[in-house]
Amino acid sequence: MITLTTDFGVKGPYVGEMKGAILTINPEAKIIDITHSITRHSIVEGSFVMEQVVKYFPPNTIHVGVIDPGVGTERRAIIIEGTQFLVLPDNGLATLPLKWIQPKAAYEIDLKKMETIIGRKISSTFHGRDVFGPAGALLSLGYEPSRFGKEIDIESIIKLDLEPKKQEDCWLLKVIYIDDFGNVILNLENYERPKYVEILGRKIPYLDTYGKVKPGELLSLPGSHDYLEIAVNQGSAAELLGLKVGDEVKVKLIYGEG
């Protein structure tokens, strides 16, 4: 089973080309489109989406992620092997899904070896079609990842700085995702349940679900992904608060009446 997460969009031929490359190698491959609508070049957003997908897929699933603004540069193309496989550029995209696959080894894909295996030249600007997709297809056929290149230190894989930072009685957090409803997801998990969350000068009640406030009102909640979420019932918290993925915000969790 191969999942695809990209920022290719659906207008052009890119997704189709990548699927064709996969199916040429393994016509029986089961391909699951997660999304091709990651905000262009947003590695943070792609990492969050891949994390959520990895959490709910069975062992040995091959997750191909292509959010790759550095395509064709010196950045590495890698395979991470664990309970599942990650096939992606080494640009921080692995940061969040890596937590869930119990990684045991990682490999840098040798482009010359890949050219020999697939029997054609690799484009310098479309590694989704020519590198990552084919690597996923070959893994699905049982190829050992060591056939693609040398093993590398797992600790050398690039990680995004997504650790929440404590500042006195506040947290300095990052927006790691905004969904189609405008819900703002922040990089704080495993926290004690507060009564209120203070963000951008607003004191917002912490509740269990959206319908606990009137339409148009703000609330905070654990969300379905276990990260701190800011939302508006039947509205967009991102628009109301003027937030976008990657923004840093100071957040205070209030445990009393405040």
Side-chain angles (χ1 to χ4, degrees):
M1 187 183 306
I2 302 170
T3 77
L4 304 179
T5 301
T6 80
D7 61 353
F8 293 170
V10 294
K11 181 179 179 181
Y14 308 114
V15 175
E17 290 180 59
M18 184 163 64
K19 288 182 177 180
I22 292 170
L23 293 170
T24 296
I25 294 168
N26 181 4
E28 304 301 318
K30 185 175 183 179
I31 302 172
I32 298 176
D33 295 286
I34 302 305
T35 181
H36 299 290
S37 299
I38 298 295
T39 301
R40 283 179 296 176
H41 316 308
S42 182
I43 297 166
V44 173
E45 186 176 314
S47 190
F48 171 83
V49 168
M50 290 192 73
E51 176 190 24
Q52 304 315 313
V53 169
V54 164
K55 286 161 63 174
Y56 296 102
F57 269 76
N60 298 315
T61 300
I62 299 155
H63 300 280
V64 176
V66 192
I67 298 89
D68 194 15
V71 62
T73 68
E74 293 301 311
R75 71 94 185 92
R76 299 182 296 188
I78 60 173
I79 297 169
I80 306 171
E81 180 182 10
T83 54
Q84 301 177 61
F85 290 92
L86 303 177
V87 184
L88 32 63
D90 185 22
N91 59 8
L93 189 57
T95 304
L96 297 177
L98 193 60
K99 300 187 300 182
W100 297 90
I101 68 163
Q102 299 172 37
K104 64 180 184 179
Y107 303 84
E108 180 178 0
I109 299 172
D110 184 308
L111 301 189
K112 292 297 183 185
K113 285 186 178 181
M114 183 60 72
E115 283 187 340
T116 299
I117 291 169
I118 66 175
R120 57 184 171 82
K121 185 172 175 59
I122 290 173
S123 164
S124 62
T125 60
F126 198 178
H127 286 184
R129 179 194 65 197
D130 295 342
V131 179
F132 301 115
L138 291 163
L139 289 171
S140 74
L141 289 174
Y143 275 56
E144 291 295 325
S146 57
R147 292 184 64 175
F148 306 118
K150 65 181 180 180
E151 186 169 354
I152 59 174
D153 184 356
I154 292 174
E155 296 303 316
S156 74
I157 294 169
I158 292 172
K159 311 288 197 315
L160 302 172
D161 181 13
L162 295 179
E163 287 297 317
K165 297 176 175 62
K166 196 71 186 293
Q167 291 191 340
E168 298 179 349
D169 62 344
C170 294
W171 290 96
L172 185 62
L173 302 179
K174 284 185 180 178
V175 178
I176 55 174
Y177 191 66
I178 295 171
D179 66 19
D180 286 346
F181 297 97
N183 300 323
V184 175
I185 298 172
L186 300 164
N187 62 321
L188 185 65
E189 51 187 343
N190 303 318
Y191 54 90
E192 183 183 349
R193 181 187 178 100
K195 286 184 177 292
Y196 300 94
V197 170
E198 188 175 285
I199 179 172
L200 297 174
R202 297 172 182 263
K203 182 181 170 184
I204 303 169
Y206 189 91
L207 302 165
D208 291 319
T209 193
Y210 310 104
K212 294 288 186 179
V213 297
K214 295 176 182 178
E217 290 185 350
L218 279 162
L219 71 149
S220 54
L221 68 162
S224 61
H225 303 106
D226 300 322
Y227 286 101
L228 178 61
E229 181 177 315
I230 310 297
V232 170
N233 184 15
Q234 299 179 43
S236 171
E239 290 181 7
L240 183 61
L241 298 174
L243 291 172
K244 62 184 184 301
V245 172
D247 283 350
E248 286 192 333
V249 287
K250 188 171 285 190
V251 174
K252 183 176 182 180
L253 305 184
I254 301 171
Y255 295 98
E257 290 305 314

